[in-house]
Amino acid sequence: YSNLTDDLTFNHTQGVIRLKNYGDYYGVGSNNWSVSMVLPGNVINGDYFSLDIITDDLDNSNDGIIGTYTCVPNEDSVGKNTFIAGDYLDQFSFSWYFDCVDNSFGTSFMAPLKAGTITIEAEGTGYLVTYDCTDDNGHKITGTFSCPTVEKYNPQ
C-alpha cells in the first residue's frame, strides 16, 4: 500500500499528540490506545501518524503510553508493548503514516508501518515519539515527533 518512493526521515518539534484509550480491548491484560501525531493548525497538513498500540499494563493515565513498542503483523499477534502493522481493511487500519493535504488522508504520500519499533517517552508537557520503522516496500521511516500539546478523547 505504500507509495513512498524513498526513505522518510523527519524531526518535528511542535506536534500535537491525540490519545484514545480502549481499555483491555484485546484481552491481554494491557490497554489498547489509538495514538496520533499531527502538526499544529486548524487544517491538517504535513506528516501525520496514526498508531494502534498495546501497552504493558492497565494504566489508563496519559503516561500509560510511555514505553517501547515492537511491530506485530496483525490483531492475532498482539501482546504487551506492541503496535499493530498498518493494513487496509475497507479503510486505513492500525498503524500508518500519511502526508496530509488540507485534512485529506491518502491523497498524497502514505505508508503502512510494517516493521520496527516506536518509543514514546515523557518530554516537558507532552511526549517525544521516536520511530525506527519500515513500510511494506522496505523504505525506512525514521525520526522524532515532539508533541508538547496533548489531547485526550473518549472512545465512541
Side-chain angles (χ1 to χ4, degrees), residues 17-26 30-37 50-66 69 82-84 94-95 120 127 150-155:
I17 192 166
R18 296 175 174 167
L19 309 172
K20 281 187 190 178
N21 183 305
Y22 292 92
D24 191 11
Y25 182 81
Y26 294 106
S30 297
N31 277 313
N32 172 226
W33 290 83
S34 171
V35 179
S36 60
M37 282 125 283
S50 178
L51 308 175
D52 194 328
I53 67 170
I54 297 84
T55 63
D56 64 354
D57 59 30
L58 292 170
D59 178 358
N60 64 2
S61 72
N62 289 0
D63 284 348
I65 65 168
I66 293 172
Y69 302 92
T82 59
F83 73 94
I84 303 172
F94 309 117
S95 303
I120 303 173
Y127 300 94
V150 179
E151 298 175 358
K152 189 169 184 179
Y153 300 90
N154 293 324

Side-chain angles (χ1 to χ4, degrees), residues 4-156:
L4 294 179
T5 56
D6 204 351
D7 293 346
L8 173 69
T9 304
F10 55 93
N11 182 19
H12 297 297
T13 59
Q14 293 299 314
V16 177
I17 192 166
R18 296 175 174 167
L19 309 172
K20 281 187 190 178
N21 183 305
Y22 292 92
D24 191 11
Y25 182 81
Y26 294 106
V28 295
S30 297
N31 277 313
N32 172 226
W33 290 83
S34 171
V35 179
S36 60
M37 282 125 283
V38 299
L39 297 172
N42 292 331
V43 176
I44 299 174
N45 278 300
D47 291 341
Y48 176 98
F49 284 90
S50 178
L51 308 175
D52 194 328
I53 67 170
I54 297 84
T55 63
D56 64 354
D57 59 30
L58 292 170
D59 178 358
N60 64 2
S61 72
N62 289 0
D63 284 348
I65 65 168
I66 293 172
T68 297
Y69 302 92
T70 302
C71 189
V72 295
N74 53 46
E75 291 176 285
D76 295 334
S77 304
V78 300
K80 294 181 178 189
N81 291 106
T82 59
F83 73 94
I84 303 172
D87 204 349
Y88 189 84
L89 308 167
D90 294 327
Q91 64 182 359
F92 298 106
S93 300
F94 309 117
S95 303
W96 282 81
Y97 159 78
F98 298 98
D99 177 25
C100 290
V101 178
D102 297 332
N103 286 334
S104 293
F105 299 78
T107 57
S108 186
F109 288 108
M110 61 186 174
L113 304 178
K114 286 293 196 178
T117 61
I118 297 169
T119 300
I120 303 173
E121 55 192 317
E123 180 186 62
T125 59
Y127 300 94
L128 176 67
V129 184
T130 303
Y131 291 83
D132 186 7
C133 298
T134 56
D135 68 7
D136 53 346
N137 288 326
H139 295 111
K140 293 180 183 179
I141 299 173
T142 56
T144 58
F145 217 121
S146 178
C147 299
T149 303
V150 179
E151 298 175 358
K152 189 169 184 179
Y153 300 90
N154 293 324
Q156 300 170 351

